[in-house]
Amino acid sequence: MQKIMIQVLLVEDSLSDAKLLHQIFLQAYQQELKILHVERLSEAIELSLVNQKHLKDGWESATLKQDKFDVVLLDLGLPDSVGIDTLKEYRAVVPDIPVVVLTGIDDEELAMQALAEGAQDYLVKDQITIQRLVRAIRYAIEREEILNKLRESEEISRQALAKEQQLNELKSNFVAMVSHEFRNPMTTIRTAMDILQHQNNLNEERKNFYFERVQDAINHMLQLLDEVLFLSRSEAAKLEYKPALLDLISFCEEITDVLQMKAVGQQNIIFNYVGKCNISYMDEELLYCILTNLISNAVKYSPPQSNVWFNLDCGEDMVVFQVRDEGIGIPEKDQINLFQTFYRASNARRIQGTGLGLAMVKKCVDLHGGEISIESKQNMGTTVIVRLPLNYHAESK
């Protein structure tokens, strides 16, 4: 659809040439065109950049609407720039506004060079007619609109391809992770059941030992399935933020007690809190996922009998959870990728894990309108800090 009003930026240092062009414009467009005239390249670039920033910010004042340039008429001989470099410099900084070159030089080689550098047309001043100028401006605008649509289409295609590649990579990683993580417990179950079935001389203590091994393996597989289902819900946008009133201190104490009983290496989980946190408005499921994963990680990657500190600090509007351990730490090169699905730190490969925990935590923190940060040094422990608003409403995001 053709625009009713065309906005033109005229970059011309000759006042006589500028007046002549104004007269041609008046005859050609009458009230359908607005011109802003500047004499220097630096002024043209500054105005164009300001214009682009306002458009991105969504400003819609009447003054800014006048600055929405549809085309730039650019003289190649300006006080602060001369020749083809004038076009190169403008296009390098402002690539999205079509440029029609104005020049007093009738040079075919220069014209071809200008077109190669991105100009939509090349007009020699003493050869300009009303019809030629109108046609040049119209074609410049139309070609730029087509190019923009092609760029948008290319970007959409590129994003779709990247998404497909990401999904394929996730599927590949998922298959590899599941096959690896299920193989060990399944092997444990099969071995234990074979022993229980074929060795009749086992005493009750040995039988209980193998039954416990089977139960542990089953629990591990169930936990893995729970993690996969939880992650699939978040990927399918079915995981929602559903806040309710929560006694935060009791909630954290209960999590601490449960995880303390599960600490195989008898790590000591120390819970402390500051502030009035009894009544808060938070999502219990998301918060449970965040805290259990962080504390479980701290326990899993810490040596036996070491301490894991779980701190809660409640302010008026914000609650801060801190989980600190004395474990193996995270290499600096791995820290940037920790929240990627299936990613595991290079020093944790021999420790059982799926690479899903921190990815789930990050999604839960985001849904809760919060922030998460990690401070860690290899062999010196890790501190994870989660900041969540106490009374967050998702619709206010």
Side-chain angles (χ1 to χ4, degrees):
M1 183 177 179
Q2 190 171 4
K3 292 183 65 172
I4 297 176
M5 183 66 67
I6 298 175
Q7 314 283 353
V8 176
L9 176 60
L10 175 60
V11 191
E12 172 61 70
D13 66 326
S14 171
L15 292 179
S16 60
D17 287 344
K19 289 179 181 179
L20 178 60
L21 288 168
H22 272 279
Q23 291 175 2
I24 295 175
F25 283 134
L26 288 176
Q27 294 179 51
Y29 290 96
Q30 296 180 355
Q31 300 300 318
E32 298 177 355
L33 180 139
K34 288 187 177 180
I35 305 172
L36 180 61
H37 173 219
V38 296
E39 298 181 4
R40 304 176 69 89
L41 177 62
S42 58
E43 295 174 317
I45 291 175
E46 183 178 359
L47 282 173
S48 300
L49 291 178
V50 169
N51 166 250
Q52 286 185 330
K53 180 181 185 301
H54 292 329
L55 289 178
K56 290 178 181 178
D57 292 345
W59 294 11
E60 294 293 341
S61 71
T63 301
L64 293 176
K65 286 181 179 178
Q66 294 176 358
D67 292 338
K68 293 182 180 179
F69 305 126
D70 297 293
V71 64
V72 175
L73 302 182
L74 181 65
D75 185 9
L76 294 184
L78 300 171
D80 54 346
S81 183
V82 178
I84 197 66
D85 289 339
T86 305
L87 174 62
K88 288 182 178 180
E89 185 175 349
Y90 183 83
R91 291 287 296 171
V93 182
V94 189
D96 299 328
I97 300 177
V99 177
V100 173
V101 168
L102 296 176
T103 180
I105 304 174
D106 186 2
D107 185 329
E108 184 176 349
E109 183 178 349
L110 181 60
M112 295 300 295
Q113 192 175 359
L115 295 175
E117 293 295 338
Q120 294 289 352
D121 210 334
Y122 182 94
L123 299 180
V124 181
K125 294 178 183 178
D126 59 8
Q127 298 176 10
I128 293 177
T129 63
I130 294 176
Q131 293 78 12
R132 190 170 183 183
L133 182 60
V134 170
R135 183 171 63 249
I137 290 176
R138 183 174 76 247
Y139 286 173
I141 294 173
E142 290 176 354
R143 282 194 291 264
E144 191 65 27
E145 288 177 349
I146 292 172
L147 286 174
N148 285 334
K149 289 179 181 178
L150 288 174
R151 291 190 195 103
E152 290 175 4
S153 178
E154 182 182 357
E155 179 63 19
I156 291 172
S157 299
R158 188 193 64 78
Q159 291 179 0
L161 179 61
K163 185 68 174 178
E164 183 179 357
Q165 291 174 339
Q166 182 182 17
L167 288 174
N168 289 336
E169 185 178 354
L170 284 175
K171 289 177 183 177
S172 177
N173 290 337
F174 174 75
V175 171
M177 181 274 295
V178 169
S179 62
H180 178 268
E181 288 298 316
F182 269 96
R183 183 181 291 112
N184 289 338
M186 289 298 292
T187 301
T188 298
I189 292 173
R190 184 175 61 184
T191 302
M193 294 305 296
D194 284 344
I195 292 174
L196 289 169
Q197 185 175 3
H198 296 103
Q199 294 190 17
N200 298 322
N201 58 345
L202 294 175
N203 58 33
E204 288 300 316
E205 182 178 355
R206 295 301 296 172
K207 288 181 181 180
N208 289 334
F209 170 78
Y210 288 114
F211 279 127
E212 289 178 1
R213 294 288 301 274
V214 169
Q215 188 64 50
D216 289 341
I218 292 173
N219 289 337
H220 176 70
M221 289 191 293
L222 290 175
Q223 181 182 356
L224 176 60
L225 288 173
D226 287 340
E227 290 180 354
V228 172
L229 289 173
F230 189 95
L231 191 64
S232 66
R233 283 173 58 200
S234 66
E235 293 290 347
K238 294 182 179 179
L239 186 62
E240 298 179 355
Y241 171 72
K242 298 178 180 178
L245 289 176
L246 181 66
D247 185 333
L248 200 51
I249 295 177
S250 297
F251 181 76
C252 292
E253 288 176 338
E254 182 178 348
I255 289 177
T256 302
D257 292 340
V258 171
L259 295 180
Q260 182 66 75
M261 288 188 293
K262 293 182 178 180
V264 178
Q266 297 183 344
Q267 291 86 355
N268 186 30
I269 305 174
I270 304 169
F271 173 62
N272 294 300
Y273 67 89
V274 176
K276 297 180 179 179
C277 306
N278 296 83
I279 303 300
S280 61
Y281 192 67
M282 310 185 83
D283 186 303
E284 184 173 342
E285 181 184 10
L286 298 181
L287 189 57
Y288 182 84
C289 175
I290 294 169
L291 298 179
T292 54
N293 272 285
L294 293 182
I295 298 173
S296 296
N297 277 351
V299 170
K300 180 165 62 174
Y301 297 112
S302 294
Q305 307 294 331
S306 63
N307 292 326
V308 172
W309 288 271
F310 173 29
N311 299 322
L312 169 64
D313 187 350
C314 293
E316 293 184 2
D317 302 314
M318 185 74 66
V319 59
V320 179
F321 301 95
Q322 184 188 83
V323 178
R324 180 165 61 90
D325 63 55
E326 301 172 318
I328 63 175
I330 305 167
E332 186 175 355
K333 65 178 182 179
D334 293 320
Q335 294 182 21
I336 191 173
N337 298 313
L338 285 177
F339 299 117
Q340 292 184 11
T341 308
F342 301 119
Y343 186 87
R344 303 197 69 206
S346 55
N347 63 337
R349 305 288 168 79
R350 295 184 180 181
I351 302 175
Q352 191 177 60
T354 63
L356 296 177
L358 285 179
M360 293 164 52
V361 168
K362 183 64 166 64
K363 292 180 184 295
C364 292
V365 170
D366 290 343
L367 283 171
H368 223 296
E371 298 176 350
I372 182 170
S373 60
I374 295 179
E375 300 172 0
S376 183
K377 289 186 178 181
Q378 195 166 358
N379 300 318
M380 296 182 63
T382 299
T383 299
V384 183
I385 300 173
V386 174
R387 295 176 174 84
L388 301 179
L390 274 171
N391 298 286
Y392 174 68
H393 296 277
E395 59 271 15
S396 66
K397 189 175 180 180

